[in-house]
Amino acid sequence: MMQPPQHYKPSKPSGAPSCCSSWIRRSPPPSPPHKKPGGGGRSRYACRLVPLLVLTVYSVVTVLRIPSSSPVVSNSNADSERVERREDLEALKTHLPSNQNGLEAREETRSVASLPCSAFINGEAGHGEGEEGVLCCDRSHYRSDVCYLRGDVRTDPSTSSVLLYNAPRGSGPEKVRPYTRKFEGSIMSTIDEVTILPVAGAYNASAGAREGGTLRRRCDVRHPRGVPAVVFSTGGYTGNVYHEFSDGLIPLFITAQRFAGEVVFVVLEYHYWWLGRYGAVLERLTNYKVVDFRYDRRVHCFDEMIVGLRIHGELVVDPKLMPNGKSIKDFQALLHQGYSRTAAAASPPVPLPLAPPSRPCPRPAKPKLLIFIRKQNRVLLNLPHVVTACRRAGFAPHVMNLRRQTPLPVIHAALASADAMVAVHGAAVTHFLFMRPGSVLLQIVPVGLDWAADAFYGKPAQQLGLEYLEYKVAPEESSLAAQYGLNSTVVRDPSVISSKGWWEMKKVYMDRQNVTVNIKRFSDLLKAARTHLKNTTACAKGSSAAALR
């Protein structure tokens, strides 16, 4: 590990005459009377010359040491070393101590090496025109690793690698699995790994050029200058709608939306059905065809590339972490534009308005409520009674039995016009992203799933502007009571099972549990939902305003 440079401190040379023991001495002591008159003058001359020579050598060494820093940005220790060197340079220029130079002096000499990798990934570092490239990786987030390359970037599908030919001096190979569940080793081991290979040499855009003894791979496809690539995987949990949004589409939006379509997606473990299902979203993020990294054997050349995706959390876009302040509502607007059958193709994404009444104000209809059902586990066993309760509470209930083949535009159309949604905790709850702000999400939470229900769906729904209600299943309402006993640890203290790990918790509370809700308790929540909708619809607001007049 490199250490910050230490200032050179000259020490007394061995065997030096006693007259040179102090630099601040203005004159040597008088010569002994037995010495010749000329000897004292030479001694005084030597005492003054030696310190001047030492100071001269020190100044030359310091000046030569300063410009030798390399713009490699992949090592934090090297960064701190270069910052100290830049401060030394500023001190030399202004003849002041480095801590007195002020922010302006350091900003003038700010180099690539001083910038954090996140500044390049987020687009805050600009597009430098220097000949030497940039290679850095941000591995600070527990969910994903993201690497950034700038310069002569070329893909090599035969070895699952990316080559950076004008790499910074001193940079080494980097390996990345571009998927957003870094904390989960078992699933990450199934993700294809990308190797980034830096090759030193001056920049030359001509394909196939030989420089520094290295023959560059000839470009089969040269992408336009200023159009970067974003590399990511659609492996892992792809196939589960929750993970397709939380681990894939939303991180892709976070990473790529700032390019306004001028970006190429390079996909590992590419699935054609995935493109067919989410093509309407991808078309709003890129103006170019998706590249299948594994089976497209051509060499694609870029001047900029991001390997991996940024992620902020579960189904969330944090505007404080976005360089342009975008939020989950902007992602929802993109979904609405992509899946709405009435949206004009050229119109920009527009956030959805508050949920309107289902019919004109003079004759308000019953608000539309969708009930999403499950077939294998976490089944709502008394569904007919639930439907009746919804009808008695003043809703117009519709049962949604989703299949994998159900087109997303159909689901979007149903939910974008709905006032409320009811669902037992599970992946289908993800579709609340299609609902208008001001609508109601009522999630039925089985025993042992309180934390997951709130973290995965409750908080994200509230951030989107939905009214979120929870029905927590009581121990006697869970099928686990009959299987393990009403007073068993499994039913009464789920934390014991959860402490054994996610998979054990999933096996018991997600895979083996069905529910039967208490209709009276459930009806109380339906009334609360109905009251909320009455207070938020346009007609209710208009009536309140008229009453105030």
Side-chain angles (χ1 to χ4, degrees), residues 146-443:
V146 185
C147 290
Y148 175 88
L149 300 81
R150 187 170 73 197
D152 188 0
V153 183
R154 310 189 184 197
T155 63
D156 184 5
S158 62
T159 60
S160 294
S161 60
V162 175
L163 308 176
L164 177 61
Y165 280 99
N166 56 319
R169 294 186 299 273
S171 56
E174 300 281 359
K175 294 182 180 293
V176 186
R177 298 184 188 271
Y179 191 61
T180 57
R181 297 191 74 82
K182 176 176 133 181
F183 64 94
E184 196 169 343
S186 59
I187 200 66
M188 290 300 290
S189 65
T190 69
I191 303 297
D192 288 351
E193 186 175 64
V194 177
T195 302
I196 301 171
L197 298 174
V199 183
Y203 181 79
N204 188 335
S206 61
R210 179 187 293 273
E211 296 193 13
T214 301
L215 181 63
R216 303 191 180 195
R217 295 183 64 85
R218 185 174 298 276
C219 294
D220 297 316
V221 181
R222 178 168 290 283
H223 295 272
R225 186 169 181 80
V227 178
V230 172
V231 182
F232 61 96
S233 173
T234 55
Y237 289 122
T238 300
N240 177 293
V241 66
Y242 169 79
H243 291 287
E244 287 167 2
F245 276 89
S246 187
D247 301 338
L249 292 175
I250 293 179
L252 182 60
F253 173 81
I254 291 171
T255 307
Q257 58 82 33
R258 69 180 178 88
F259 298 113
E262 290 302 298
V263 60
V264 176
F265 295 153
V266 180
V267 181
L268 284 74
E269 299 164 274
Y270 178 86
H271 303 287
Y272 285 99
W273 65 261
W274 177 82
L275 180 62
R277 187 169 180 82
Y278 297 110
V281 178
L282 300 177
E283 288 174 359
R284 269 82 189 163
L285 291 173
T286 177
N287 300 327
Y288 301 88
K289 291 184 178 179
V290 175
V291 176
D292 183 347
F293 187 76
R294 178 184 291 176
Y295 291 108
D296 188 339
R297 314 307 294 177
R298 297 174 297 175
V299 175
H300 290 260
C301 297
F302 303 89
D303 60 12
E304 189 178 9
M305 178 179 285
I306 297 173
V307 183
L309 299 177
R310 286 290 200 198
I311 185 169
H312 295 164
E314 308 296 338
L315 296 179
V316 64
V317 179
D318 188 344
K320 292 181 291 186
L321 300 178
M322 297 291 286
N324 50 14
K326 298 288 185 180
S327 70
I328 189 65
K329 294 182 180 180
D330 295 286
F331 177 75
Q332 187 198 47
L334 183 143
L335 294 178
H336 176 64
Q337 186 192 29
Y339 291 122
S340 176
R341 295 176 178 177
T342 59
S347 62
V350 178
L352 297 178
L354 289 174
S358 302
R359 292 182 184 175
C361 292
R363 297 178 58 192
K366 292 182 178 181
K368 179 180 176 182
L369 181 146
L370 301 185
I371 303 173
F372 284 72
I373 63 172
R374 301 177 58 89
K375 290 292 188 181
Q376 295 181 347
N377 47 45
R378 283 161 280 154
V379 176
L380 188 55
L381 298 177
N382 58 339
L383 176 63
H385 298 90
V386 169
V387 172
T388 300
C390 292
R391 189 174 291 114
R392 288 177 177 173
F395 288 96
H398 301 264
V399 176
M400 296 287 292
N401 183 14
L402 298 184
R403 296 178 174 83
R404 186 63 193 173
Q405 302 86 345
T406 304
L408 278 180
V410 172
I411 304 173
H412 173 270
L415 280 170
S417 61
D419 301 287
M421 170 183 175
V422 173
V424 180
H425 174 78
V429 184
T430 308
H431 294 113
F432 77 81
L433 290 168
F434 295 156
M435 300 183 73
R436 296 172 179 270
S439 302
V440 177
L441 171 62
L442 200 166
Q443 182 178 196

Side-chain angles (χ1 to χ4, degrees), residues 4-19:
Q6 302 296 324
H7 291 292
Y8 174 73
K9 295 182 180 179
S11 59
K12 174 183 175 182
S14 60
S18 61
C19 64

Side-chain angles (χ1 to χ4, degrees), residues 11-23 25 43 46-47 50-51 54:
S11 59
K12 174 183 175 182
S14 60
S18 61
C19 64
C20 304
S21 61
S22 174
W23 287 6
R25 184 175 298 159
S43 176
C47 288
V50 169
V54 172

Side-chain angles (χ1 to χ4, degrees), residues 447-460:
V447 170
L449 299 179
D450 293 19
W451 175 85
D454 183 59
F456 296 166
Y457 303 115
K459 286 185 172 62

Side-chain angles (χ1 to χ4, degrees), residues 90 94 101-110:
E90 290 301 315
T94 60
N101 289 338
L103 181 61
E104 291 92 358
R106 286 194 292 272
E107 285 293 333
E108 290 176 0
T109 59
R110 195 177 190 189

